[in-house]
Amino acid sequence: MTALYTLSDVTLTVPGRTLLHGLDLSLPSGKVTGLIGHNGSGKSTLLKLLSRQTQPTRGSITFAERPLPDWPTRALARHLAYLPQHPPAAEGLSVRELAALGRYPWHGALGRPGPEDRNATDAAIAACGLDGLAARRVDTLSGGEAQRAWLAMLIAQEAGTLLLDEPISALDIAHQVEVLTLVQSLSRARGRSVVVVLHDLNMAARYCDHIVALKSGRLVFEGTPDDLMTPDRLHDIYGARMEVMTRADGSPVALPV
């Protein structure tokens, strides 16, 4: 399996504290990778390193077989799209205007959007099921609709890799399923690579192909959802006893005992 990211001895320290301890990881290309673990385990910190928002104190990160620091900013933006847990306010912007911002790496601040940009924006809006809402202001949408509008911006960017920090944390269960189904379909139908931070263990097992679990900034598991979803493994990660059952669709689900 082709590696999307390769991390070697990646450590991040801040005054008085180590946030990540010597991570050695290989994240697969063309798959949905879920980052899970307790609050404060280092999931969002790791995603910021992968997006080059933060630099490691020690160690190296390779993206698409090239050292991450060596990527020119604009070239990286054409390959990599990052959505933080709390996106900036989109007040006054329509869904179409927000999605069109994803084209910035392609035409630049002074360039004028051309037919390719408009086509990419339209395709992203359609992919997210927002055709009927394209003229609506983002700040008038429901939580699930607004999250899909932000995803449309990332899709319009046409980056092959999406980094998503807890994209479902503020959504009800119906909208969580809606957003993760979209993310999964982008990977499977379009070959996009996705790394997503998830708080919900069962959602991660259902929608991700590959799982990375952190605990206190250390790697405690890397593998498939089936390998993850065993009572002993989950106890090691979360410190709680869980029973693992199987849904009708064959996906595992864990319940506290």
Side-chain angles (χ1 to χ4, degrees), residues 191-206:
R192 302 281 177 93
S193 303
V194 181
V195 183
V196 55
V197 173
L198 291 171
H199 183 72
D200 189 309
L201 166 66
N202 291 315
M203 287 293 190
R206 183 176 179 183

Side-chain angles (χ1 to χ4, degrees), residues 226 229 243-255:
D226 286 340
M229 298 293 273
E243 180 181 3
V244 179
M245 305 175 70
T246 303
R247 287 190 176 98
D249 64 1
S251 61
V253 58
L255 301 172

Side-chain angles (χ1 to χ4, degrees), residues 167-182:
I168 63 170
S169 61
L171 304 181
D172 61 39
I173 186 65
H175 287 131
Q176 289 180 17
V177 170
E178 179 182 272
V179 168
L180 289 180
T181 298
L182 172 60

Side-chain angles (χ1 to χ4, degrees), residues 3-225:
L4 175 69
Y5 282 99
T6 302
L7 286 71
S8 300
D9 193 30
V10 169
T11 298
L12 180 63
T13 60
V14 296
R17 187 181 175 197
T18 299
L19 302 179
L20 294 172
H21 300 260
L23 298 184
D24 293 309
L25 274 172
S26 180
L27 304 184
S29 179
K31 302 293 183 181
V32 180
T33 295
L35 304 183
I36 66 168
H38 284 296
N39 288 338
S41 62
K43 304 183 299 296
S44 294
T45 300
L46 175 56
L47 202 71
K48 288 178 180 177
L49 287 175
L50 299 180
S51 64
R52 212 168 70 176
Q53 304 291 309
T54 306
Q55 302 297 322
T57 307
R58 187 181 75 232
S60 64
I61 302 176
T62 298
F63 171 64
E65 301 184 339
R66 183 177 185 179
L68 187 57
D70 291 355
W71 280 85
T73 299
R74 191 166 176 181
L76 185 64
R78 291 181 175 185
H79 287 82
L80 185 64
Y82 169 62
L83 184 64
Q85 184 177 353
H86 303 292
E91 293 180 7
L93 289 178
S94 69
V95 169
R96 182 175 300 280
E97 290 168 336
L98 178 62
L101 291 179
R103 299 303 299 165
Y104 175 82
W106 299 94
H107 59 68
L110 301 179
R112 298 185 61 182
E116 289 185 2
D117 300 301
R118 288 188 286 273
N119 290 340
T121 300
D122 290 342
I125 290 171
C128 293
L130 295 170
D131 293 286
L133 301 173
R136 282 271 302 275
R137 282 173 39 184
V138 177
D139 53 11
T140 68
L141 301 178
S142 70
E145 291 166 343
Q147 196 69 308
R148 282 191 284 138
W150 283 102
L151 285 172
M153 184 189 75
L154 268 64
I155 294 168
Q157 191 173 329
E158 293 189 321
T161 299
L162 308 181
L163 305 181
L164 311 174
D165 193 355
E166 296 205 37
I168 63 170
S169 61
L171 304 181
D172 61 39
I173 186 65
H175 287 131
Q176 289 180 17
V177 170
E178 179 182 272
V179 168
L180 289 180
T181 298
L182 172 60
V183 168
Q184 186 183 63
S185 69
L186 286 172
S187 177
R188 293 185 177 177
R190 302 189 180 198
R192 302 281 177 93
S193 303
V194 181
V195 183
V196 55
V197 173
L198 291 171
H199 183 72
D200 189 309
L201 166 66
N202 291 315
M203 287 293 190
R206 183 176 179 183
Y207 289 100
C208 297
D209 306 298
H210 189 76
I211 303 288
V212 171
L214 300 176
K215 185 175 184 179
S216 301
R218 291 179 168 85
L219 177 66
V220 291
F221 174 81
E222 180 184 8
T224 67

